[in-house]
Amino acid sequence: ALTLAGGDSGKYLDLPNGLISPLSSVTIEAFVTWTGSAGGDWQRVFDFGSSNMAEGMQGTGAKYLFLSARKLRACYTSATPPSEIFTDSNTDLSSAPTQLAVVVDGTAHTLTLFMGGDATGGAVPLSLPLSAISDVNNWLGRSQYAPDDYFAGKISEFRIYNAALTGPQLKTSKQMGENTTYLKKP
């Protein structure tokens, strides 16, 4: 598991560039235990995109797809200045281990946030493609926005699928648990 200290610790994981921009649909799934309730509102489970600064640097978010913890929100923007498309959960994230997923469905043109396999907050229209995001800062636990706290907690599983998974598929993934291969590439 990846355990992150939160606050201004500077602890995060930097993933390779170009993970989601080549995809037409994506599901980003994470099994998290959030311990950052004393921290700031916009702690990121993940933030894939770019800021107005050079690659690898925080600044003001420019183009991104993120999942924040306290304000459990999945958010997309490819516009500068940002015109965010987001869906907020109607359930708060607790400190218990939780399966979260963000689904961008390129066919249905929607952005959906899932908790435990259930859509929470509903699907929102998303007509913009993932290719509009310059995903050079693909971070777990760090925001494109410099003032935001780092994520505090544990990410014990993190998966990226080149598909828009459904609620029943995410429930099956949750039941199968961590450290398993849910969807196998043919």
Side-chain angles (χ1 to χ4, degrees), residues 12-132:
Y12 69 100
L13 181 66
D14 185 14
L15 298 172
N17 295 359
L19 289 175
I20 62 170
S21 58
L23 307 177
S24 58
S25 294
V26 70
T27 299
I28 302 172
E29 179 186 30
F31 289 79
V32 303
T33 304
W34 182 54
T35 59
S37 62
D41 287 346
W42 297 106
Q43 298 171 49
R44 299 293 202 270
V45 175
F46 69 84
D47 196 332
F48 289 0
S50 59
S51 74
N52 64 340
M53 303 296 284
E55 179 180 339
M57 301 196 57
Q58 292 175 298
T60 299
K63 298 178 180 189
Y64 47 78
L65 176 66
F66 75 67
L67 174 61
S68 62
R70 177 185 311 282
K71 177 82 170 173
L72 192 53
R73 172 178 282 183
C75 184
Y76 171 99
T77 189
S78 66
T80 305
S83 175
E84 294 183 332
I85 298 164
F86 59 87
T87 180
D88 291 335
S89 173
N90 51 23
T91 304
D92 292 336
L93 183 60
S94 72
S95 60
T98 306
Q99 176 213 36
L100 300 171
V102 174
V103 177
V104 173
D105 187 328
T107 303
H109 303 288
T110 56
L111 169 68
T112 310
L113 173 61
F114 289 86
M115 181 186 294
D118 293 317
T120 177
V124 295
L126 179 65
S127 60
L128 303 166
L130 289 166
S131 60

Side-chain angles (χ1 to χ4, degrees), residues 167-180:
Q169 289 173 315
L170 287 165
K171 284 184 180 188
T172 298
S173 177
K174 179 184 176 201
Q175 290 169 347
M176 292 180 73
E178 303 170 32
N179 300 315
T180 187

